[in-house]
Amino acid sequence: SNSSNYGGIDIRVNSVPKEILALDQIKGLSINFTDEIIIPDEMGKIKIEEFRMYGKISDEGIERIVRMFPNTVLIINNKIYNQKKQ
């Protein structure tokens, strides 16, 4: 696995672990959901630079996540949202 040079957290879970919710700031986070992508509201308070997620999700679910993380580069099922203008 190349997660060491990714410089972030790379996990495969069915829901976001409490240890993640306890963090204030994350440089890179990659979550591979075993089924549906479920992002709890309290994650919105975490400052995340780049957040990748994989799993089943509706368009409404994607819109909600994009609104929750306006300053995060989001990659949902390999599609990029909120890309920073360089």
Side-chain angles (χ1 to χ4, degrees):
S1 155
N2 64 354
S3 54
S4 56
N5 54 17
Y6 171 60
I9 301 166
D10 189 352
I11 54 175
R12 181 173 169 81
V13 293
N14 60 0
S15 64
V16 178
K18 291 185 173 56
E19 292 80 5
I20 299 279
L21 299 177
L23 299 171
D24 295 321
Q25 198 167 346
I26 306 170
K27 186 171 171 54
L29 177 60
S30 177
I31 304 183
N32 199 325
F33 288 91
T34 50
D35 191 42
E36 292 205 24
I37 293 176
I38 301 166
I39 303 297
D41 288 335
E42 62 255 45
M43 275 198 87
K45 69 183 188 334
I46 307 172
K47 184 181 187 298
I48 307 174
E49 283 180 38
E50 185 181 298
F51 189 1
R52 297 169 186 256
M53 60 198 94
Y54 305 90
K56 293 184 204 143
I57 190 164
S58 66
D59 289 343
E60 293 77 25
I62 291 173
E63 282 169 26
R64 171 181 165 265
I65 292 169
V66 169
R67 282 196 303 270
M68 276 176 74
F69 298 100
N71 303 308
T72 299
V73 176
L74 292 171
I75 301 159
I76 304 175
N77 294 326
N78 292 318
K79 186 163 188 265
I80 301 176
Y81 301 84
N82 289 354
Q83 192 166 25
K84 293 269 188 290
K85 304 287 180 282
Q86 299 303 337

